[in-house]
Amino acid sequence: MAIELKMPALSPTMEEGTLAKWLVKEGDFVKSGDILAEIETDKATMEFEAVDEGVISSINVAEGTDGVKVGTVIALITGEGEEPAPAPSPKPVASSPVETPAQRAPVPTMSDTQPIETSSVTANGNMQTVTLREALRDAMAEEMRRDDRVFVMGEEVAEYQGAYKVTQGLLDEFGARRVIDTPITEYGFAGVGTGAAMGGLRPIIEFMTFNFAMQAIDHIINSAAKTNYMSGGQVRCPIVFRGPNGAAARVGAQHSQNYAPWYASVPGLIVIAPYDAADAKGLLKAAIRCEDPVVFLENELLYGRSYEVPMGDDHVLPIGKARVMRAGTDVTIVSYSIGVGLSLEAADRLAEDGIKAEVIDLRTIRPLDKATVLASLAKTNRLVVAEEGWPTCSVGSEILAICMEEGFDDLDAPVLRITNEDVPMPYAANLEKATLVNVDKIVAGVRRTFGV
Amino acid sequence: MATTPAKKSASKKSSVSEDAARANRERPTEPVPYKATKEELLKFYRDMLLIRRFEEKAGQLYGLGLIGGFCHLYIGQEAVAIGLQSALTPGKDSVITGYRDHGHMLAYGIDPNIIMAELTGRAAGISKGKGGSMHMFSTEHKFYGGHGIVGAQVSLGAGLAFGHKYANDGGVCLAYFGDGASNQGQVYESFNMAELWKLPIIFVIENNQYAMGTSVNRASSEDQLYRRGESFRIPGIQVDGMDVLAVRGAAEVALDWVRSGKGPVLLEMKTYRYRGHSMSDPAKYRSRDEVQSVRDNSDPIEGCKAYLAEMGVSEDALKVIEKEIRKIVNESADFAETSPEPDLSELYTDVLVEQY
Ligand SMILES: Cc1ncc(C[n+]2csc(CCOP(=O)(O)OP(=O)(O)O)c2C)c(N)n1
Ligand SMILES: [Mg+2]
């Protein structure tokens, strides 16, 4: 019987990848441990090893093929002495993959997901389709070209090209002076970055994830956020702390947490949590140019998604301005980061029932664009907050308070927080799925505001 | 009046040679006491005296309720700030310290009026009254505070040094921290990066023997703090921090080392704080005799006076300086007491630089 070799998942969130190179050809004898192929995603490259012994009887996916779904049969091995199986008809690359742990992970579906592809200029005039990851990288590269004071520092940002490949290529272009690998020493390098900012540079400090920034939160809050005030405006701290925030997939409690409410409670900080690639780029550029310290919260699950981004290096967005993602008259769904995609999808579903939901992406969590939220509430008279994070003392709690204090007369129903469950993130797939906010929960929450 | 240089309490003057024997690495040369001219020595005396009298006055104002909260006096440690900062190049080198920061500000020649006004929380204060005793800054002098989290200034200082290296401006950062702070984890994170990247920084441990009420020996398994950089290959030098010329001599060696691109150096200044940790100190953790004995035998200002006497400076000349200093300090107290509090409209300024 031929053994099927399937496209492996390199990470918990990988859905597909590129079969970059075959290191064996049909008819080769391979034994366990031999390297068969190189697999690439936008995040990493990995060598694919044989675990069985036998002869490569067929190669089903040619090298250089992009978008090979995890689980696709890429080659067959025949055990010694067996008849080579007839070459199977080549499966379409996009065939539905077998279930892998990565597939079972509750990757939120996005209403405006576009097919994943590499950067390309689209027909749409001066827009370009890029992944969110590339958009972030482009933002940094453009700002580094523009201003020599800008540098990137963090764990694995240089030679490894970024733990999540966000800084890919920066070392090549800017060299080791400006793209700096640090030891694993979050408190220390957050302090080094903050001190460098006080001294006049414009650091971008990457945290591998914001979970690890807990070790550095003292410098973010006590040193970066407060010094301008404590010094009566003398010592500025133009620094960006950035990295993935929020739940990834199947990584358990210590690697899955949304820190937006933590940082958003601190005067002296700017907190940004973009949803799509255009915002990620435009807001990161604004953050780098900003004279104030910025906490820039990305989302790992969105890194590989592609979106339209304006071309050119002048796409800078205003900090502190929310945007209406979808207009509606019956209810407002306020969200940010990954929750925006869920909210848009919920709005689609609600539309089927005749409920016209307005979806607001906060984009900046601090300072919060109250005016946009309250104007929408005044129009719809109903509001829910959809947030991938805990409910207690959340951004949702804050929006709720604002609606009570400043929009009370506009309310026809209580404001609801539709969030993750109030528990540490469990690992088991079913429990994790049950914990996270999702489209169903948002739809149900909106219906409750109508008393159904 | 002491006629000979005061006897020093520091157990060891320097241990560079001993360390060199342990590790076969290049070391800074053994520091020698700085050969000050009479004019320089007079300035050291004057500057140390200004700190002493200023701090005594601050203590009084605290007692009168004009200064609130925490107020950490620098009395006893004057030779450290003066000996080190007199060796820096103004406008090029940077300095950062913790909350015991009045002396470091005064060492820069910053107007005592605006320092005292900060202590009393007045609009004319150097931080507009919003920082207080622990949070003073002067970007003009490249003095970056003024930090209340024990140890934070060490990482921040490494960042300032990173900036000097990045900009290739020839500057060096002087980062002061206490014996207590030397047990903080981020100090070692910073040591590691500073040596790894050969940052131009002088780490200065002001070992005044106590962290609040905890003596060095009760908190530090290695109480010879100049060795604390050893495992990061940062050379350490122990210095008599009660002798301004010894301090200045060590500063010269340290600056040579750092400016020549050899990376950081660690100076342990053996010094002593005469007053309580802050104004509310139970004074139960050490004896009165201990404090008195340091005052009698190792006082940095008396020591300096003795050097001046050797150089033939008359007692009368010093009295003139003393009078002048008292006048400056009294004026600063008057200024700090009479100048207005910040306008309430200042409450919401300086939170952010930009408008969003
Ligand atoms: C992280 C942190 N922990 C505790 C304190 C409270 N605290 C303030 S000063 C101090 C003692 C520090 O002693 P040392 O470093 O020797 O400096 P010194 O006061 O002697 O100048 C402590 C524990 C603080 N400010 N920050
Ligand atoms: Mg101490």
Side-chain angles (χ1 to χ4, degrees), chain A residues 197-219:
Chain A
M198 290 173 177
L201 299 184
R202 300 197 159 246
I204 303 169
I205 299 299
E206 174 173 309
F207 291 115
M208 197 177 280
T209 80
F210 263 91
N211 302 287
F212 317 136
M214 295 273 267
Q215 308 228 342
I217 202 165
D218 171 45
H219 279 302

Side-chain angles (χ1 to χ4, degrees), chain B residues 178-196:
Chain B
D179 47 285
S182 75
N183 291 319
Q184 281 282 30
Q186 67 173 314
V187 169
Y188 299 94
E189 300 188 25
S190 308
F191 280 5
N192 185 41
M193 285 181 279
E195 178 65 33
L196 193 65

Side-chain angles (χ1 to χ4, degrees), chain A residues 148 150-151 177-178 180 185 187-188 191-192 195-196 198 218-219 228-232 234 236 290-292, chain B residues 126-128 131 135 137-139 144 149 155-156 159-160 162 166 186 189 193 347 349-350 352-354 356:
Chain A
D148 182 66
V150 180
F151 69 93
R177 172 174 170 263
R178 300 180 69 194
I180 300 139
T185 187
Y187 194 9
V192 168
M198 290 173 177
D218 171 45
H219 279 302
N228 190 58
Y229 195 80
M230 296 194 303
S231 68
Q234 272 195 74
R236 293 180 177 190
C290 176
E291 290 291 340
D292 293 301
Chain B
I126 194 158
S127 297
K128 299 188 196 162
H135 307 303
F137 306 80
S138 170
T139 42
Y144 291 94
I149 303 300
S155 305
L156 296 171
L160 291 166
F162 179 91
Y166 190 92
Q186 67 173 314
E189 300 188 25
M193 285 181 279
L347 188 57
T349 60
D350 305 320
L352 295 171
V353 177
E354 295 187 37
Y356 303 93

Side-chain angles (χ1 to χ4, degrees), chain A residues 18 23 82 159 185 211 221 241 325 329 373 381 405 438:
Chain A
T18 300
L23 300 166
E82 286 177 23
E159 300 203 1
T185 187
N211 302 287
I221 294 175
F241 299 102
M325 298 290 286
T329 48
V373 172
N381 306 117
E405 289 173 350
N438 60 30

Side-chain angles (χ1 to χ4, degrees), chain B residues 178-180 206-212 273:
Chain B
D179 47 285
E206 293 198 68
N207 181 359
N208 60 9
Q209 325 287 335
Y210 293 92
M212 298 183 71
R273 113 173 112 65

